[in-house]
Amino acid sequence: MKVISVVRDFCFYEKVVLNNPYYDSKADFITIDNRVENLGIAQRYNQFLNSYDYCKEDWFIFCHEDWELKEDIYSKLENLDKDCLYGPIGKVAHTGIFKLQTNIGQIENCNRDGSNLQIIGLSNYNLKRASTFDCQCLIVHSSLIQKYKLRFDENLFFDLYVEDFCINAREIWGVSSRILQLHCRHWSWGKLSDSFIKKYSYLQMKYSKSKEYYTSTCSNEIIGNNFLLPFYIYFYKKIRKLCRHKSIKS
């Protein structure tokens, strides 16, 4: 098992990931120091994937420096289908007129100082399919990476790179993303920054002609399967620019 993390806060990483007793000696930690260059996480993950020796088959756990495993994971990975992606929490996008979304998978969530602790999502032990996972954790077998040459989109520096990974694998290769229910905690609530909103628009454009609908745990907006979306975005930007111009003149 390879546990891959891009790290800036080493004290916290050592506390909840590196010295986590649920991994013990069976885990090999790939610690990517991002304090100096602060490159995009997608780029850092790809550096690992490009340098890995795929003759050595293993499970990859891509996780944030603040994602804490709170139960034994080895027995859960032992009999999993290696041709699927896995994550502890994600979202399902339902097709149809109203395009509803449902959170699936249950985790603990809190601030970095432990405040505002909540249980979020709905537990599921049936490996139910999700549209995408949250970026906090993605589990994939090396054989699947090698089989389809899967990589992260490096245009997505710090947001939505796991969501894109799930969508790309599904759209091109038919790979399913399935919830692996784990007792775990994410020590961050995150936020919908301007960067996140821009990258969400990027994904909507990228998959505007997708075969299926997708979404993200951080947003209720649909990604994909809308051939008119590029036109909506174009005219929306034009209208915003026009309104801003009028505002300056007045």
Side-chain angles (χ1 to χ4, degrees), residues 23-227:
Y23 290 117
D24 63 49
S25 59
K26 298 176 185 176
D28 181 14
F29 293 92
I30 312 299
T31 306
I32 304 171
D33 189 342
N34 212 28
R35 290 173 295 185
V36 177
E37 293 182 275
N38 197 27
L39 299 178
I41 294 178
Q43 184 177 348
R44 291 298 198 185
Y45 282 173
N46 282 343
Q47 288 174 352
F48 165 77
L49 293 177
N50 292 336
S51 64
Y52 189 73
D53 179 3
Y54 289 91
C55 292
K56 303 173 183 177
E57 292 196 358
D58 211 342
W59 284 101
F60 297 159
I61 300 179
F62 293 96
C63 68
H64 286 181
E65 66 184 17
D66 57 4
W67 184 77
E68 181 183 10
L69 182 66
K70 302 186 78 173
E71 69 169 307
D72 173 60
I73 193 172
Y74 300 100
S75 59
K76 293 201 171 191
L77 295 179
E78 191 173 10
N79 297 313
L80 286 181
D81 182 352
K82 296 176 182 177
D83 286 329
C84 294
L85 306 177
Y86 300 94
I89 188 166
K91 208 165 196 180
V92 177
H94 303 284
T95 59
I97 298 175
F98 297 105
K99 302 179 181 63
L100 303 175
Q101 303 101 40
T102 305
N103 289 321
I104 184 171
Q106 189 176 83
I107 66 165
E108 296 178 5
N109 220 121
C110 67
N111 294 321
R112 186 62 67 97
D113 62 3
S115 62
N116 194 24
L117 174 62
Q118 296 182 33
I119 304 297
I120 63 171
L122 299 172
S123 61
N124 184 280
Y125 292 90
N126 299 318
L127 297 174
K128 189 171 180 180
R129 200 187 137 205
S131 296
T132 62
F133 306 125
D134 187 82
C135 288
Q136 63 190 261
C137 178
L138 167 69
I139 302 170
V140 55
H141 198 267
S142 62
S143 61
L144 187 63
I145 297 287
Q146 175 69 347
K147 183 178 181 179
Y148 296 126
K149 310 301 180 190
L150 300 176
R151 292 297 185 271
F152 294 88
D153 185 339
E154 295 186 12
N155 291 303
L156 301 165
F157 308 114
F158 301 106
D159 301 298
L160 299 162
Y161 46 87
V162 166
E163 286 89 337
D164 173 81
F165 194 90
C166 295
I167 298 171
N168 182 68
R170 180 66 181 174
E171 285 293 310
I172 298 178
W173 304 109
V175 175
S176 294
S177 297
R178 299 195 175 276
I179 293 297
L180 180 63
Q181 185 61 59
L182 292 170
H183 186 198
C184 61
R185 179 185 294 192
H186 189 207
W187 292 74
S188 171
W189 280 100
K191 59 182 179 179
L192 294 182
S193 62
D194 289 341
S195 172
F196 179 92
I197 294 168
K198 288 178 182 177
K199 295 307 180 183
Y200 209 90
S201 296
Y202 166 78
L203 280 191
Q204 287 177 318
M205 183 73 77
K206 181 177 179 179
Y207 296 108
S208 61
K209 296 182 180 179
S210 64
K211 302 167 191 171
E212 300 182 23
Y213 297 109
Y214 302 90
T215 187
S216 161
T217 55
C218 298
S219 174
N220 288 323
E221 292 190 43
I222 289 293
I223 297 170
N225 202 9
N226 186 347
F227 73 96

